[in-house]
Amino acid sequence: MAIEEKELFEGKHVLAVEQALSMPYCTWLLGLKGMDVLRVEPPIGDPNRRVGNQIGDETHMAYYFLTINNNKKSITLNLKKEEGRKILHELVEKWPVDIFCTNQLPSHYKGLGIDYETLSELNKCIIWAGISGFGPERPEAAYDPMIQAQTGIMYVTGERDRDPMMVGVPIADMMASYAAYTGVMEGLYKLEKLGTGSRHDISMAQATLAMLAVKLPLEAAGISMIRNGNTHNVFAPVSTFRTSDGFIMIAVGNDRQWEAMVKFPGFEVLDRPEYKYNAGRIKNVEKLNDEVREITRTKTTDELIRNFRDVNIPISKVNTVADVIEDPYLEKMTLRTKDPVTGTELILTPPPETIPYLERDQTFAPRLGEHNKEILEQFLGYDLNKLKTDEIIV
């Protein structure tokens, strides 16, 4: 009998010793696929539980944490104690764990009992994925901003005559998440074909450096890569322009689109020989952009979008994040989650790929140790009061 697509990942168990963003986002994606994700947190919890505003009067349910931890369960274990590590290893064997994920420092793997060698001895078929700043060969702390800086992403971001800037989202964390997700899926395929487990070490630096797939080879060939701000360095006009009521992004990618653009009322003054071909427009791009801005600032965003789209010139309003929530095309992609305790409702982003069987309403992020009773007491048979006394859980 053929397996339904939604059944492919059902029953797959993911155990995650994770925190912050990079690995939690990866396991969030795995959860959306239908896998069972269990977070193992220290007694003090994931630091992101305490970042920013909290829901109600709680202390470990900050909005920053809630965004990428729904569809997961949470237990607490003090992995610095031998008893905590013993329980984790018991889980790996008995649950059993198909996929183990972590973004702890590589130098802490063995001390916490989560290194690949130890876990693969317990489960030969385990798929092990670890995200770190620079891989196991360079086990030092790393955060998204420093990775953006070191890999050159920051240098090529921003206006030419201003300081380098960070990308507006934590792109190093996100790229590492996607790389880990890909590694897990590769591991599942390898398990299916070869019957063996696998290890996948993800370097945030390498995942981010990969984004310079065009710029780095050009720089190496002697073509200097500089900051262009919102303006393209090959095609013109491609930039942001102020309107009478906001901002738009126009992307004229060929001469046919340019010819259509200069036929609109107000734009006829740009129909000049020096701008007829893209090479001339790029040569005078700063002057051209200034001239376009003088025209667009007299027109509304909706008017420009309507006219340009009618003749297939790429154009978009520059949305605020609040605008995105109201955008009829984008809004229907988003997910929803509601806290059964406080009634708090959140809008969540969609996964980067379409999952046909994905329900729009998702379970809420777990409270710290919310599933200690279910997992540690009912499944493994431990006395929770004794574990609390021994400082293994909270």
Side-chain angles (χ1 to χ4, degrees):
M1 185 175 71
I3 298 176
E4 294 287 338
E5 186 175 353
K6 67 179 181 180
E7 297 175 341
L8 284 173
F9 303 106
E10 287 181 352
K12 293 296 183 186
H13 293 160
V14 180
L15 189 65
V17 179
E18 62 183 14
Q19 62 181 355
L21 174 59
S22 61
M23 189 55 83
Y25 185 74
C26 171
T27 58
W28 179 73
L29 294 175
L30 297 176
L32 293 182
K33 280 288 192 181
M35 301 186 196
D36 296 323
V37 180
L38 176 61
R39 293 173 53 92
V40 178
E41 302 186 57
I44 61 172
D46 183 333
N48 274 20
R49 285 184 176 275
R50 301 182 296 278
V51 175
N53 297 336
Q54 299 278 339
I55 61 170
D57 57 357
E58 302 193 38
T59 57
H60 289 83
M61 292 293 279
Y63 282 93
Y64 202 80
F65 171 81
L66 304 179
T67 57
I68 53 169
N69 285 295
N70 61 289
N71 287 343
K72 300 180 184 180
K73 294 182 178 180
S74 167
I75 63 172
T76 54
L77 280 179
N78 186 346
L79 298 181
K80 294 181 179 179
K81 290 180 174 285
E82 184 177 351
E83 179 73 1
R85 297 191 293 275
K86 172 179 173 291
I87 295 172
L88 179 108
H89 295 161
E90 194 173 344
L91 258 178
V92 170
E93 290 185 288
K94 291 183 177 179
W95 195 23
V97 173
D98 300 292
I99 300 158
F100 179 82
C101 296
T102 187
N103 59 334
Q104 293 288 319
L105 280 172
S107 56
H108 294 170
Y109 290 164
K110 285 189 179 297
L112 297 175
I114 61 174
D115 55 295
Y116 175 71
E117 292 74 17
T118 297
L119 299 189
S120 62
E121 280 295 316
L122 300 170
N123 180 354
K124 300 294 185 185
C125 292
I126 199 165
I127 298 166
W128 188 100
I131 294 176
S132 59
F134 307 98
E137 70 279 359
R138 186 178 163 186
E140 62 186 77
Y143 294 105
D144 181 276
M146 62 176 289
I147 297 296
Q148 288 195 41
Q150 184 168 359
T151 58
I153 293 294
M154 192 178 293
Y155 185 79
V156 297
T157 303
E159 297 293 337
R160 184 175 305 183
D161 57 349
R162 303 290 296 274
D163 292 345
M165 295 185 69
M166 289 194 301
V167 178
V169 295
I171 201 161
D173 281 326
M174 302 297 282
M175 288 302 296
S177 297
Y178 294 138
Y181 176 81
T182 301
V184 168
M185 291 302 176
E186 177 187 322
L188 288 171
Y189 184 77
K190 182 178 181 180
L191 179 61
E192 175 71 19
K193 291 295 184 181
L194 303 179
T196 60
S198 53
R199 173 174 181 165
H200 305 269
D201 287 295
I202 308 302
S203 158
M204 290 173 63
Q206 182 173 338
T208 308
L209 182 61
M211 298 192 70
L212 295 182
V214 174
K215 290 182 181 294
L216 188 144
L218 291 178
E219 181 73 39
I223 304 171
S224 181
M225 293 293 103
I226 57 176
R227 290 185 294 283
N228 297 308
N230 296 325
T231 298
H232 203 281
N233 63 343
V234 176
F235 299 103
V238 177
S239 194
T240 51
F241 301 95
R242 182 181 291 276
T243 68
S244 64
D245 57 355
F247 290 91
I248 54 169
M249 166 62 80
I250 296 174
V252 173
N254 57 55
D255 295 332
R256 182 204 62 78
Q257 292 171 349
W258 172 254
E259 290 174 8
M261 177 175 166
V262 295
K263 291 178 182 177
F264 289 126
F267 290 91
E268 309 100 317
V269 295
L270 301 177
D271 188 9
R272 303 201 296 269
E274 65 266 31
Y275 291 155
K276 183 175 182 178
Y277 299 110
N278 184 68
R281 297 194 296 274
I282 279 292
K283 183 179 179 181
N284 299 284
V285 65
E286 291 186 13
K287 178 185 176 185
L288 171 62
N289 284 348
D290 286 342
E291 291 182 279
V292 174
R293 289 188 181 99
E294 287 302 312
I295 300 167
T296 60
R297 69 173 62 247
T298 67
K299 301 179 182 298
T300 67
T301 299
D302 286 344
E303 175 189 1
L304 288 165
I305 289 177
R306 183 174 60 254
N307 289 339
F308 277 47
R309 285 182 177 170
D310 281 346
V311 293
N312 293 318
I313 300 174
I315 186 173
S316 176
K317 174 185 176 183
V318 178
N319 280 330
T320 65
V321 178
D323 291 334
V324 170
I325 296 172
E326 301 298 329
D327 186 299
Y329 174 72
L330 299 175
E331 186 276 336
K332 65 183 179 182
M333 302 178 188
T334 59
L335 306 176
R336 299 288 187 273
T337 186
K338 183 176 181 179
D339 181 18
V341 177
T342 65
T344 300
E345 297 185 46
L346 290 178
I347 298 174
L348 306 173
T349 60
E353 61 174 323
T354 299
I355 303 176
Y357 53 85
L358 182 63
E359 299 289 339
R360 193 175 197 191
D361 293 323
Q362 300 289 304
T363 59
F364 206 71
R367 283 161 172 80
L368 179 63
E370 181 178 334
H371 300 91
N372 282 350
K373 184 176 182 66
E374 174 189 338
I375 303 296
L376 301 179
E377 181 179 271
Q378 296 175 353
F379 180 68
L380 293 179
Y382 283 90
D383 182 334
L384 295 189
N385 289 327
K386 185 176 186 309
L387 291 179
K388 289 178 182 177
T389 301
D390 295 341
E391 298 181 334
I392 304 300
I393 67 171
V394 290

